[in-house]
Amino acid sequence: MAASQWLVLLVFAVYASNIEANPIHSEHILKHVRTKTSSAVQSKATLDLIGRVLPERASEFEVVIDDTLKVNSFKVFKTNGSKTVVITGSSGVSAAKGFYHYLKYFCGCHVSWDGDQLNLPDVLPEVNVEVQAPSSVVYYQNVCTWSYSFSWWTWQEWRRHIDWMAMQGITLSLAPFQEDLWAEVYLEYNITQHEIEDHLSGPGFFAWQRMGNIRGWGGPLTENFIKFSRKLQNQVVQEMRKLGMVLALPAFAGHLPVQFAELYPQAKLVPVEVWNNFPPQYASPLFLDPTDPLFLEIGQRFLTKVIERYGTDHIYFSDPFNEIQPQSFSAKYLSNASTGIYSAMSSVDPLAVWLLQGWMFVKNPFWSDMAIRAFLTAVPIGRMLVLDLQSEQFPQYDRTESYYGQPFIWCMLSNFGGTLGMLGSVDLVFNRIRDTRMNDSMTMIGTGITPEGINQNYGLYEFALEMGWYTDIYDIRQWFNTYASVRYGIKDNRLEFAWYIFQYTVYSFKELEMMRGKYSYNRRPSLKLHPWVWYNETFFNEGVQLLMEPRLDGALYKNDVVDLTRQFLQNTADRLYLSIMEAYASNDVKSVKHLSTLFLTLLEDIDRLLRSDHHFLLGRWLNAAKALSRTSLERQKYEYNARIQITLWGPQGQIIDYANKQWAGVVQDFFLPRWKLFLSEMTNAMEQNRTINEGKIRDKIFKTVELPFCTSNKRYPSEPVGDSLQIAREVFEAWSDRAVRFKKLPTKPRRI
């Protein structure tokens, strides 16, 4: 390392020691990571947002951006005689948050990623409110969200989503598209176009190729998609920045095409260990040791291109060891590796801040406290910002003594793979954010949400985001009372009590199990499944029944009725599965046949229910993928990406069902045929008095159901069919009577 670089590190080391001796709020170190957009541009962008949300009432709002206000603060004011609501914000994001605060808490309206409820009063109510957020940063996104939820989004979807982000007060997010820039870099290093195509994964698997877990899977990536993503990222970056958001851009993490080993035989290049048993042609990209001079050269070249194309807010994300082990866990190596990664950023941008996902420390015994300390403290204090990725379940800030002085963001992950299923840890989110915020020894500078996939459990995410903006949330039940009334546009005790029940059932998760859509009917069939629930099913079912009683007509109401009925039917399927297994263990062929018929009928009812709401249609996902194609070959490739991601994931079923979706079409043509085949084989084995061969059945399911589904081009509806409320009530009533006869679900997971 050059003498000048050592001097910089020495200065920061002294600075860091002073921080520890004389505690200073870490947000001051990150003060330069802020918007550079003018107040006038932010004001116009916020007014444009209001015009999109309320096109007929936009003239009744005025926006003022005052950057002399404290960071993340807003004022909303309207006198009784005035026709205009004046919103003053420290930034466009703050003003947008102020706008939504007024809509929700004064006008009884709701904006979500599921849809809107915007029944405004004829005369806008008077208001005089000021809010100063306790968080200097409110963060959103997981690198995986871009694959599990955003893969096929166009500007139309992003336009609405950015508005939602601003209204939630999100100040920091990701801009991860980078394949176009890497293609340029690789060509400069004499990697051929064909080799580049072999290396880059398909759109459904970008996230894991970027983190070095796989290569080429779902590819080759077409020039059409590269051009599309370049244009889209420019639009997304520009619009977020107009509203005053800060964007983290990609930096080099060390992952390279395998051809680099031949081109640079002297470089410290090693294959990444095989991830999740992927076959050789898709596994083991190379990892370039960050201590090698070539790392600095490639890192500088790539980041220079990134900044030239997108400008910079001085923050860059890089995840070198996501589910990948470093070559050594010695403190010396990890310190040098961290220094090398950061130097590739700071040599291009001296003000660089490294945004790091802390996931690599979670449940990984190799990352000892000493190893983590060495890795984190090799970067000057305040020049790394750690996302504590799953703080509600596996917080790492306590274990690491607040990341050994580096600032961090408290994040709620909650969802893996974009799977459906009601799940949340509301009490843990509430208590841990408050406790951490009040602990002066903590370097927490903000809060955020980091779901792997969105479009489920919406209320949970809005709650977590509001915990980052408000210090006066004291009563969780009252928060959900308000949520119920604004979401459905009516104040009704039945709806409020229903959400009270959901708060104390599905959203009361406190276990350490990794709940990733682990329900019976949407998993590969087996005799060895162990479904369980952490809540009182009877109480939950009362909540579903209460939700159905008002018989409202709003789209959000219908969505929630379908979703919660789906959860009830899912539990019923789990109970029915246990009853089948009990009959099988007792060699009761007659009962197995009867219960199996019921199980398949239940899956048919689930598909019929899901078919009635557009949020639960496979056709929308597949059509979005195909719409981005220009050729029949592209169309086939994108559809394959979309199908296999939500089913097999890998070519032979690596990570099978991890990202499965309880969607109409998937239930009908994937889950149901698997179970039909399995139950038939199981019944035949019982009748012939022989032992069931699960391995052979699994192979048969793979060949006759799973692979054909992934390669099929069958079309599915993208518009709902049937009256969702009527269907929900019918199936709820029918299966409520039956469910009581099935085995109860255990309330503790089986320890294996």
Side-chain angles (χ1 to χ4, degrees):
M1 184 181 292
S4 59
Q5 289 177 303
W6 280 113
L7 180 60
V8 170
L9 289 177
L10 179 61
V11 169
F12 269 98
V14 172
Y15 185 45
S17 65
N18 288 338
I19 288 176
E20 292 179 1
N22 304 289
I24 299 174
H25 289 298
S26 299
E27 59 263 32
H28 295 311
I29 306 173
L30 291 166
K31 198 170 183 181
H32 66 287
V33 180
R34 59 180 300 173
T35 182
K36 301 177 184 66
T37 305
S38 70
S39 296
V41 170
Q42 292 185 68
S43 177
K44 183 180 184 306
T46 309
L47 283 170
D48 289 345
L49 179 156
I50 293 172
R52 287 187 293 272
V53 176
L54 301 174
E56 297 178 1
R57 307 287 296 270
S59 61
E60 298 177 55
F61 293 87
E62 178 184 334
V63 172
V64 177
I65 304 300
D66 182 356
D67 60 11
T68 66
L69 294 176
K70 290 184 178 180
V71 173
N72 294 343
S73 62
F74 63 77
K75 303 174 184 177
V76 187
F77 180 77
K78 179 184 181 293
T79 61
N80 194 26
S82 173
K83 294 183 179 180
T84 305
V85 179
V86 179
I87 304 169
T88 305
S90 57
S91 66
V93 168
S94 298
K97 176 62 179 175
F99 169 62
Y100 183 59
H101 179 93
Y102 179 70
L103 288 184
K104 180 178 180 179
Y105 290 104
F106 289 83
C107 301
C109 295
H110 184 64
V111 176
S112 76
W113 60 43
D114 300 318
D116 305 333
Q117 186 284 111
L118 293 170
N119 186 20
L120 265 71
D122 292 336
V123 178
L124 294 179
E126 60 183 286
V127 58
N128 185 5
V129 63
E130 296 185 24
V131 171
Q132 164 68 53
S135 304
S136 63
V137 177
V138 178
Y139 177 81
Y140 167 56
Q141 285 184 22
N142 183 308
V143 292
C144 299
T145 322
W146 284 77
S147 293
Y148 286 134
S149 293
F150 304 155
S151 285
W152 317 114
W153 278 19
T154 64
W155 176 238
Q156 180 180 355
E157 286 80 27
W158 272 110
R159 167 71 285 162
R160 172 181 163 77
H161 201 63
I162 292 169
D163 287 347
W164 170 84
M165 290 170 65
M167 286 187 282
Q168 287 298 323
I170 291 160
T171 65
L172 172 63
S173 197
L174 300 176
F177 276 132
Q178 54 195 273
E179 286 67 32
D180 57 331
L181 296 174
W182 277 119
E184 293 178 17
V185 171
Y186 295 152
L187 285 171
E188 292 169 7
Y189 281 92
N190 296 318
I191 306 296
T192 69
Q193 185 63 42
H194 177 70
E195 290 167 339
I196 292 171
E197 290 173 355
D198 280 347
H199 175 73
L200 295 176
S201 295
F205 302 95
F206 278 160
W208 303 276
Q209 176 236 297
R210 291 166 182 165
M211 293 183 288
N213 304 121
I214 53 176
R215 61 186 175 93
W217 174 231
L221 186 62
T222 65
E223 182 63 25
N224 170 44
F225 200 95
I226 286 179
K227 290 179 179 177
F228 161 76
S229 63
R230 178 193 303 146
K231 179 181 178 181
L232 180 61
Q233 174 129 311
N234 268 309
Q235 290 175 301
V236 170
V237 168
Q238 289 175 19
E239 193 59 31
M240 287 186 180
R241 283 185 174 152
K242 282 181 184 178
L243 286 159
M245 294 183 200
V246 168
L247 273 298
L249 297 169
F252 184 41
H255 309 298
L256 293 170
V258 294
Q259 289 78 18
F260 267 84
E262 210 172 297
L263 293 168
Y264 294 89
Q266 304 304 317
K268 298 177 184 175
L269 286 157
V270 295
V272 173
E273 69 264 24
V274 175
W275 184 73
N276 280 298
N277 298 310
F278 262 74
Q281 67 268 36
Y282 303 121
S284 304
L286 293 178
F287 181 72
L288 176 59
D289 195 307
T291 64
D292 192 291
L294 185 60
F295 189 102
L296 182 64
E297 179 189 317
I298 295 175
Q300 289 174 331
R301 185 174 295 199
F302 175 68
L303 193 59
T304 298
K305 288 179 179 292
V306 169
I307 294 172
E308 285 175 353
R309 180 154 296 170
Y310 300 115
T312 184
D313 296 319
H314 307 298
I315 187 163
Y316 311 97
F317 67 92
S318 174
D319 294 299
F321 304 122
N322 179 72
E323 299 183 13
I324 293 171
Q325 307 297 13
Q327 295 175 49
S328 168
F329 280 95
S330 74
K332 182 178 180 181
Y333 172 77
L334 291 172
S335 178
N336 289 339
S338 183
T339 298
I341 295 167
Y342 180 69
S343 294
M345 302 178 200
S346 61
S347 59
V348 177
D349 179 0
L351 297 176
V353 173
W354 177 2
L355 183 69
L356 176 73
Q357 290 193 143
W359 183 249
M360 61 190 188
F361 306 136
V362 177
K363 300 181 74 174
N364 188 334
F366 298 105
W367 280 97
S368 65
D369 294 350
M370 180 184 70
I372 296 174
R373 180 189 286 270
F375 188 80
L376 295 178
T377 57
V379 174
I381 296 296
R383 292 306 174 94
M384 177 183 279
L385 176 58
V386 184
L387 300 174
D388 193 276
L389 214 63
Q390 196 180 8
S391 303
E392 82 280 14
Q393 196 171 12
F394 299 108
Q396 300 297 299
Y397 49 84
D398 282 332
R399 171 197 173 190
T400 58
E401 300 174 26
S402 196
Y403 288 100
Y404 303 111
Q406 297 288 15
F408 75 92
I409 298 175
W410 194 106
C411 299
M412 183 191 77
L413 200 161
S414 191
N415 177 270
F416 291 87
T419 53
L420 305 187
M422 311 300 287
L423 167 68
S425 304
V426 170
D427 286 344
L428 293 181
V429 172
F430 177 74
N431 290 318
R432 286 182 175 171
I433 289 179
R434 285 164 57 93
D435 291 347
T436 309
R437 182 177 286 149
M438 292 187 292
N439 187 336
D440 289 338
S441 69
M442 287 292 166
T443 54
M444 182 179 87
I445 65 167
T447 58
I449 59 172
T450 52
E452 284 193 350
I454 63 169
N455 298 120
Q456 31 65 37
N457 295 296
Y458 178 76
L460 179 71
Y461 295 105
E462 182 156 310
F463 176 79
L465 287 169
E466 292 204 351
M467 285 295 297
W469 264 89
Y470 304 124
T471 56
D472 59 351
I473 299 176
Y474 301 112
D475 187 334
I476 301 174
R477 181 174 181 181
Q478 182 56 51
W479 190 93
F480 277 103
N481 283 349
T482 301
Y483 178 80
S485 63
V486 300
R487 186 165 173 85
Y488 307 131
I490 184 173
K491 186 170 178 58
D492 188 298
N493 291 337
R494 293 167 296 182
L495 298 174
E496 291 181 359
F497 194 67
W499 275 94
Y500 164 77
I501 290 174
F502 304 147
Q503 177 194 335
Y504 279 95
T505 51
V506 288
Y507 292 140
S508 65
F509 187 61
K510 297 183 177 68
E511 306 292 335
L512 295 179
E513 296 294 314
M514 302 294 279
M515 291 297 291
R516 296 172 176 167
K518 291 184 177 178
Y519 311 106
S520 299
Y521 85 83
N522 56 328
R523 295 180 68 190
R524 182 181 268 173
S526 170
L527 298 174
K528 301 170 185 175
L529 304 182
H530 303 288
W532 63 284
V533 292
W534 59 93
Y535 55 90
N536 185 304
E537 283 184 86
T538 302
F539 195 34
F540 170 77
N541 294 347
E542 289 175 11
V544 179
Q545 197 160 14
L546 278 172
L547 189 71
M548 291 180 178
E549 286 184 5
R551 299 177 181 270
L552 305 178
D553 193 43
L556 290 175
Y557 175 74
K558 292 178 179 179
N559 170 79
D560 289 356
V561 168
V562 170
D563 198 19
L564 285 149
T565 305
R566 177 208 51 74
Q567 181 77 12
F568 158 74
L569 295 176
Q570 165 186 291
N571 290 343
T572 304
D574 282 348
R575 297 179 69 158
L576 188 44
Y577 168 82
L578 291 178
S579 296
I580 293 171
M581 291 302 106
E582 183 179 61
Y584 173 77
S586 303
N587 200 29
D588 185 348
V589 180
K590 183 178 179 182
S591 292
V592 167
K593 283 185 173 181
H594 172 66
L595 293 169
S596 295
T597 300
L598 285 178
F599 192 89
L600 299 177
T601 300
L602 173 58
L603 266 60
E604 291 172 353
D605 278 349
I606 291 172
D607 193 82
R608 183 165 67 99
L609 171 71
L610 298 174
R611 211 180 309 146
S612 69
D613 189 284
H614 75 279
H615 293 93
F616 303 95
L617 300 178
L618 171 63
R620 295 178 71 226
W621 172 254
L622 298 183
N623 290 346
K626 291 183 286 186
L628 297 180
S629 65
R630 289 190 176 178
T631 67
S632 59
L633 186 61
E634 268 190 317
R635 191 176 305 113
Q636 181 183 5
K637 177 64 66 176
Y638 297 164
E639 180 168 6
Y640 179 73
N641 270 247
R643 283 173 176 266
I644 201 164
Q645 187 213 80
I646 63 173
T647 51
L648 291 175
W649 213 106
Q652 284 89 38
Q654 294 87 351
I655 333 180
I656 187 169
D657 294 325
Y658 180 90
N660 68 48
K661 302 294 185 291
Q662 296 170 30
W663 288 341
V666 184
V667 178
Q668 175 189 4
D669 287 342
F670 191 78
F671 299 145
L672 194 153
R674 291 199 304 190
W675 279 102
K676 187 174 184 179
L677 192 156
F678 180 84
L679 293 171
S680 175
E681 293 282 346
M682 187 175 76
T683 304
N684 289 340
M686 293 179 71
E687 289 178 330
Q688 297 168 18
N689 197 28
R690 59 180 172 82
T691 304
I692 186 172
N693 188 325
E694 287 206 64
K696 284 187 176 180
I697 297 175
R698 186 165 56 248
D699 290 343
K700 189 173 182 180
I701 288 173
F702 179 72
K703 292 173 183 175
T704 63
V705 177
E706 294 168 348
L707 270 184
F709 178 87
C710 293
T711 56
S712 172
N713 61 2
K714 177 180 176 180
R715 295 185 178 184
Y716 294 89
S718 56
E719 294 297 328
V721 177
D723 184 329
S724 57
L725 297 182
Q726 181 179 336
I727 295 170
R729 291 179 181 116
E730 285 176 3
V731 296
F732 181 78
E733 183 177 346
W735 288 100
S736 293
D737 292 340
R738 291 169 174 166
V740 294
R741 300 194 295 271
F742 305 145
K743 278 189 70 67
K744 292 186 66 175
L745 291 171
T747 55
K748 291 289 182 182
R750 178 173 173 176
R751 306 295 180 185
I752 301 175

